[in-house]
Amino acid sequence: RFDLGGQAALVGYDFPQNAVQPGDTLPITLFWQAQARIPEDYQVFVHLMGPEGRPVAQGDKSPLDGDWPTSAWEPGQTFRDDYQIEIPADLSPGAYELRVGLYRLGDFARLPVQGPAGRVADSAIILGQAQVQ
């Protein structure tokens, strides 16, 4: 469980395919829960991080493809949110860290994250590693 600014929590995730080929799609499912009324809309980011600490692939979007913005979330509600991350065809083989979180589109400010030690960095949740083969 990861807390995002006391407003939302990531209560589960599934990324069943942690080994991919360049050009593949990496499916990821996030399970969010509203902790309080969220007065504004946030975007979800799903980043595959390169060795220099920058995203090499990403899937940023409004929750449920815009069908359920964070300002509509009701406290206690939990929902499933699916993502498909396109792996660049020219991405070098190696291990890449998968990070997720919420940010405000207007100024890109991320909600702060609290979670287990070693699983949070730069206001992002570290889900694990994807191996590009």
Side-chain angles (χ1 to χ4, degrees), residues 1-5 10 112-121 123-126:
R1 181 181 180 92
F2 297 89
D3 178 82
L4 289 92
L10 183 71
V113 177
Q114 292 182 342
R119 300 287 309 277
V120 175
S123 295
I125 299 161
I126 302 169

Side-chain angles (χ1 to χ4, degrees), residues 3 10 12 16 24 28 36 40-41 43 48 61 73 80 83 110 118 124 131:
D3 178 82
L10 183 71
D24 282 354
I28 299 158
E40 56 195 315
D41 291 326
Q43 299 287 306
L48 194 61
K61 65 177 183 148
W73 293 6
R80 173 189 176 126
Y83 292 79
R110 293 179 176 182
Q131 186 69 37

